[in-house]
Amino acid sequence: MLQRSFDQPAALEEPAAPAAERWPQPTVDLREMARILRRRWKAVATPALALTLLALIYVLMATTLYTATSTVFVDPRRASAIEMNESSISASNFGTDDATIDSEAQLIQSIAILQRVVEKLKLTEDTEFAPPPGALDFIKRIFKSASSEGGASPEDAAKARAVDILQRRLKVARQGTTFLVDINISSQSPRKAALIANALAEAYFEEQVRAKNDATKIASNWLNGQIDALKSRVVASEKAVEDYRAANNLTMSQGVTVNDQQLSDLNNQLIAARVQTAEARAKFDQAKQLSKSGDDAGGINAAISSDVIARLRTQYADIAKNEADLSSRYGPRHPAVANVRAQLRDTQRLINEEIHRILESTQHDYDVARSREDSLQQSLDQSQGVSTSSGQAQVRLRELQREAEANRTLYESYLARYKETMAQQSLELPDSHVVTKASIPIAPSWPKTLLIVGVAGMLGLGAGCVLAFLADYLDQRVKTLEQAEQIAGVPALAAVPLVAAGELARRAKRGRSELGRYDPKATTLLPAPLQPPLMRYAIEEPGTFFAEAIRAIRLALQRTMRIQPVKVVLVTSALDNEGKTTLAANLAQSFALLGIRTILIDGDLRNPQTTRALCPHAESGLLEVAMGRTPVERAVLTDPSTGLSILPSTAVKHADIITELMFSEKIVDIIDYFRHRYDLIIIDSPPLVPLVDGRALAELADRIILALAWDQTPSEVLSYTIDLLAPVHDRILGTVLTRVDLSRLRFYDYYHSSAYLKPYATSALTAEAAQ
């Protein structure tokens, strides 16, 4: 923390980098973020504490609410009691997709259902849902639309306000991807919350039944209208069929026309007649063939199958047997034999006559069958002619029949659906049911103290962290040796710690004893006890971090003096009140204690702080010597305790003289004079940015030490100061951080803070670090 190790000659040989290239690049790691939060802990804690306090106030002032939950199962599979077919079931049931279930959840929150609950429970008479006018209502009405309740009656306005409050107290949520929906109601009364939640579920079921009844009524009315129209169409189409049939003589019998039926019957009869004709012709041809050949005609089938011929032949056989018996007994000429032979001849004749009759009957049957066949063929030909002429009429008839059948089918379908709908209208059931009725809650659901305070605290911490990071990012003041070195492009020599006010007050009390012996009009140096404590702090408290930092600067300067001739050292700063005077005085005293002939020149003629601190009543100084009014030996004052020589600067009334003096050869002559008589000349210079005097003195110095007030000097100012010293950049020995708060420095630069020096610290060091 107190000093920087560097190779001074190498640093002197490095070229000066442009100021724009010396800006630090914003790099932040986890350790740096932790250090930012630690050093900005107030910025982190303030929003957190503020939001936590506001959260506590809100918790104490918020209205206590109790939440009751009623769970409803939306059943997509429940069908109406009257539904008979698959199409009606699929049309009545809910879908099982997420959109349908979410739609039902939104339906529960609809205004219609909420109005039903408000009316049922008479919430307009409840002060919770009909609060009395408050002090802020007038302001709310100013920002509310003028026509929001302009035309509503007081009852409607009260109902609308109750519905609005109930809607804000209601939360409907689906349980994951299930069919369960939770109805959450918050109220100031636990019992009222459960009552409203259950009433809301019941209102939801009633709304489902009402909606289905309305849909059924609409469907019934529509079906009724369609049925009337279809009935008229059926009657008209059937009448058209009958009129066309009558006009075209297309009388129907058993589903076909009479002509077609006759044609079919004639065709069947003709086929049978042809078979009969063929049989009769075969019999006739056989008989005719036997007649021509002279064969016995009794062999034909008709004769063989004739009962008469069979009896005659039996009789003939008996008579022949009797004739043979009588012939063998009486002889052929016996009258009995002759009589029997006469009987045989009569029987034969009868047989022949019967066969002849059968032959004639065969021909007659053949003629009759052929005549019948011809008659049927003629009738069939006539019917076919009639059928051909009515073919076109039958095509049109079938078309009319199909149209009439279609109209009849559609009419019967609509009529059946209408009857089902009318029966279903009185038996509608809701598609949901209650799984869990809301019970009276025991613990309040709002305000959630731990959650609100915790979230407020976390948000406050988050906002505080963002604020801390933002403040640290926007804070461009120099705080570490690395930062000063990166911006300036020159070595950072040391960090001079801030001495606590209590320590300075304690040391200032030591001079009270000398105050009585001091002559206020004396023009010499103030006695050591009367000098400001900081002006001699390094030599009087050598064991402090302050003295350690002065010695580090002295070491850096000594290294340079061993290599190069350095006699004039300019101690300056960018702005006023950055600790350059204290730094110059302590550094000069530190060199003087080593036996090096050292002179401290107060070069700030406009604001001679060194003179005010060490010899406030000096009669002559730098200006008088330069103007030749006073010899150098008389103007220079010597500190007997350290051997340090001091050239003060008296007050100057004319500022233009000062400016011209700094650019004159007289200052050069004075410095050259001291070069020959002192080993080291330390000049307390004016600040560089506001005044040009310091820049002029920088031209005469061998080395320049730039003092930077810790956590005060902006980085832009430091960069600008380095640019101002660009002509003498090679003479800049380095920068020194002054007034460093060691307790805060560890949050910026832990390795250069007091953390690693504690094992070596004396009691004074420890006290200073603690302060």
Side-chain angles (χ1 to χ4, degrees):
M1 185 283 299
L2 295 179
Q3 67 183 49
R4 300 281 292 173
S5 298
F6 61 93
D7 190 353
Q8 182 63 31
L12 293 174
E13 294 175 1
E14 294 180 357
E21 298 180 0
R22 295 193 296 269
W23 279 88
Q25 297 298 324
T27 57
V28 178
D29 56 12
L30 293 178
R31 290 180 296 179
E32 178 63 20
M33 292 175 65
R35 285 195 292 267
I36 291 174
L37 295 178
R38 290 185 65 184
R39 63 179 175 250
R40 302 281 181 180
W41 66 269
K42 291 183 180 179
V44 175
T46 300
L49 292 176
L51 287 181
T52 302
L53 181 60
L54 291 176
L56 289 174
I57 295 174
Y58 171 77
V59 168
L60 294 175
M61 299 181 62
T63 302
T64 302
L65 297 177
Y66 295 85
T67 299
T69 301
S70 178
T71 302
V72 174
F73 179 73
V74 180
D75 190 355
R77 297 166 298 179
R78 177 177 293 184
S80 299
I82 296 300
E83 292 172 346
M84 297 297 182
N85 52 64
E86 183 178 355
S87 62
S88 62
I89 293 175
S90 62
S92 172
N93 283 339
F94 290 113
T96 58
D97 56 337
D98 293 340
T100 303
I101 305 300
D102 293 339
S103 299
E104 291 301 309
Q106 293 297 323
L107 176 62
I108 298 175
Q109 307 175 63
S110 64
I111 300 297
I113 294 180
L114 297 181
Q115 286 178 345
R116 191 190 299 268
V117 174
V118 169
E119 293 173 356
K120 181 179 180 180
L121 300 181
K122 298 180 180 180
L123 296 181
T124 53
E125 301 175 3
D126 192 331
T127 56
E128 181 179 354
F129 295 91
L136 298 179
D137 287 352
F138 175 75
I139 300 177
K140 293 180 181 179
R141 284 194 295 270
I142 294 177
F143 295 97
K144 190 181 295 185
S145 175
S147 60
S148 60
E149 298 180 359
S153 63
E155 292 78 8
D156 294 338
K159 185 185 297 184
R161 286 194 294 269
V163 168
D164 183 61
I165 296 175
L166 180 58
Q167 195 171 32
R168 293 198 300 267
R169 298 287 180 86
L170 170 64
K171 180 181 179 182
V172 179
R174 180 184 180 187
Q175 294 185 7
T177 57
T178 66
F179 298 136
L180 297 178
V181 177
D182 291 334
I183 303 175
N184 304 296
I185 288 292
S186 299
S187 176
Q188 299 175 11
S189 171
R191 188 178 302 277
K192 188 192 302 179
L195 181 63
I196 295 176
N198 292 326
L200 193 59
E202 294 176 1
Y204 167 59
F205 300 151
E206 294 173 359
E207 180 65 21
Q208 279 190 335
V209 174
R210 185 198 62 79
K212 296 178 73 173
N213 284 333
D214 291 346
T216 303
K217 289 179 181 178
I218 294 174
S220 299
N221 295 334
W222 182 81
L223 287 173
N224 191 22
Q226 294 295 318
I227 287 173
D228 293 341
L230 288 174
K231 184 177 180 181
S232 301
R233 289 171 59 183
V234 169
V235 171
S237 60
E238 290 181 348
K239 185 177 184 302
V241 171
E242 297 299 328
D243 293 345
Y244 189 81
R245 182 183 288 124
N248 292 274
N249 195 22
L250 298 175
T251 305
M252 300 295 292
S253 176
Q254 297 181 354
V256 296
T257 62
V258 174
N259 185 62
D260 290 341
Q261 188 174 6
Q262 289 177 354
L263 185 63
S264 177
D265 293 342
L266 287 174
N267 191 36
N268 293 332
Q269 292 176 8
L270 179 61
I271 292 173
R274 285 177 179 176
V275 172
Q276 291 177 1
T277 301
E279 291 178 356
R281 184 175 180 178
K283 292 179 181 180
F284 176 72
D285 289 342
Q286 182 183 12
K288 188 177 179 180
Q289 185 67 28
L290 290 175
S291 297
K292 289 180 179 181
S293 62
D295 293 336
D296 184 10
I300 63 175
N301 293 331
I304 293 174
S305 60
S306 175
D307 294 337
V308 175
I309 292 177
R311 286 194 303 272
L312 289 175
R313 284 182 175 179
T314 301
Q315 184 179 357
Y316 182 82
D318 293 338
I319 294 172
K321 181 179 179 182
N322 189 24
E323 187 261 338
D325 183 48
L326 290 176
S327 294
S328 62
R329 183 185 298 179
Y330 298 110
R333 295 188 178 275
H334 189 277
V337 172
N339 187 25
V340 170
R341 288 180 178 173
Q343 291 178 354
L344 284 174
R345 286 192 297 273
D346 291 337
T347 302
Q348 184 64 44
R349 180 180 56 77
L350 291 173
I351 293 173
N352 292 335
E353 289 178 355
E354 184 65 24
I355 292 172
H356 181 72
R357 189 187 62 78
I358 289 175
L359 292 175
E360 290 180 352
S361 176
T362 303
Q363 183 178 3
H364 180 267
D365 290 341
Y366 171 67
D367 292 339
V368 171
R370 188 173 61 182
S371 175
R372 183 172 180 270
E373 180 183 355
D374 293 340
S375 176
L376 290 174
Q377 183 66 45
Q378 183 178 1
S379 298
L380 180 64
D381 292 341
Q382 291 176 357
S383 297
Q384 287 178 345
V386 173
S387 177
T388 302
S389 62
S390 63
Q392 289 296 112
Q394 291 182 8
V395 172
R396 175 59 181 166
L397 177 63
R398 284 193 291 270
E399 180 181 352
L400 293 175
Q401 287 175 339
R402 285 194 299 269
E403 182 179 356
E405 184 64 25
N407 291 334
R408 185 182 303 107
T409 302
L410 185 61
Y411 170 74
E412 291 174 354
S413 174
Y414 271 69
L415 183 61
R417 185 63 183 275
Y418 174 74
K419 292 180 179 180
E420 292 177 3
T421 304
M422 293 301 295
Q424 179 181 346
Q425 185 172 351
S426 60
L427 295 175
E428 290 290 357
L429 297 176
D431 296 291
S432 306
H433 65 274
V434 174
V435 176
T436 304
K437 293 189 69 175
S439 58
I440 299 176
I442 300 175
S445 60
W446 188 262
K448 301 183 181 205
T449 305
L450 294 179
L451 177 62
I452 294 175
V453 174
V455 170
M458 294 301 295
L459 291 177
L461 285 177
C465 291
V466 173
L467 182 62
F469 288 130
L470 181 62
D472 198 81
Y473 176 77
L474 297 177
D475 187 2
Q476 298 296 322
R477 293 173 295 183
V478 180
K479 296 181 181 64
T480 63
L481 297 175
E482 286 81 358
Q483 186 180 6
E485 190 170 301
Q486 291 174 359
I487 298 173
V490 297
L493 304 179
V496 180
L498 175 68
V499 180
E503 171 67 11
L504 296 179
R506 182 181 61 82
R507 294 185 56 82
K509 292 179 181 179
R510 300 177 183 177
R512 291 181 181 178
S513 59
E514 293 290 335
L515 187 60
R517 296 190 295 268
Y518 174 67
D519 183 6
K521 298 181 180 180
T523 59
T524 57
L525 289 173
L526 291 174
L530 296 181
Q531 294 179 10
L534 275 180
M535 300 300 288
R536 302 175 61 86
Y537 197 78
I539 61 175
E540 292 184 353
E541 298 291 343
T544 59
F545 291 145
F546 187 95
E548 194 70 22
I550 297 299
R551 287 193 289 269
I553 303 170
R554 184 185 68 187
L555 177 60
L557 189 55
Q558 285 177 324
R559 287 176 178 174
T560 306
M561 294 171 65
R562 295 191 190 103
I563 300 172
Q564 298 176 354
V566 176
K567 283 201 170 185
V568 181
V569 177
L570 183 72
V571 179
T572 185
S573 63
L575 302 173
D576 191 21
N577 198 26
E578 290 193 286
K580 63 178 180 59
T581 299
T582 302
L583 175 61
N586 283 274
L587 182 60
Q589 291 171 2
S590 179
F591 273 102
L593 283 177
L594 295 179
I596 299 175
R597 292 178 300 170
T598 306
I599 182 172
L600 174 62
I601 300 177
D602 189 354
D604 192 353
L605 299 179
R606 302 174 188 265
N607 185 21
Q609 293 184 358
T610 301
T611 303
R612 294 196 191 99
L614 301 180
C615 47
H617 302 293
E619 295 180 348
S620 58
L622 178 61
L623 180 60
E624 287 75 16
V625 172
M627 299 297 293
R629 301 174 184 172
T630 304
V632 177
E633 294 79 3
R634 183 178 175 184
V636 174
L637 304 177
T638 303
D639 184 2
S641 61
T642 59
L644 175 64
S645 299
I646 300 173
L647 179 59
S649 293
T650 57
V652 179
K653 298 180 180 180
H654 303 287
D656 53 346
I657 301 177
I658 300 174
T659 304
E660 298 301 329
L661 178 61
M662 290 301 173
F663 291 93
S664 66
E665 292 296 327
K666 297 178 181 179
I667 295 297
V668 178
D669 295 339
I670 293 175
I671 292 178
D672 287 341
Y673 174 82
F674 289 132
R675 283 179 183 270
H676 295 88
R677 288 166 175 76
Y678 291 93
D679 298 327
L680 182 63
I681 304 170
I682 297 178
I683 303 176
D684 180 12
S685 167
L688 297 174
V689 173
L691 301 175
V692 74
D693 302 355
R695 304 174 211 171
L697 289 175
E699 301 283 345
L700 306 178
D702 298 327
R703 288 294 180 267
I704 301 171
I705 298 176
L706 184 59
L708 305 174
W710 182 82
D711 198 19
Q712 179 178 335
T713 303
S715 56
E716 297 91 343
V717 174
L718 174 57
S719 178
Y720 179 67
T721 303
I722 296 299
D723 290 340
L724 292 178
L725 295 176
V728 291
H729 188 274
D730 56 340
R731 304 181 192 178
I732 301 176
L733 180 65
T735 59
V736 176
L737 290 182
T738 61
R739 302 176 183 174
V740 178
D741 188 345
L742 297 182
S743 61
R744 294 173 54 196
L745 181 63
R746 67 177 183 271
F747 299 133
Y748 295 94
D749 191 357
Y750 182 81
Y751 301 106
H752 295 95
S753 66
S754 60
Y756 285 95
L757 297 178
K758 288 182 179 179
Y760 309 99
T762 63
S763 59
L765 280 171
T766 305
E768 181 184 0
Q771 294 171 353

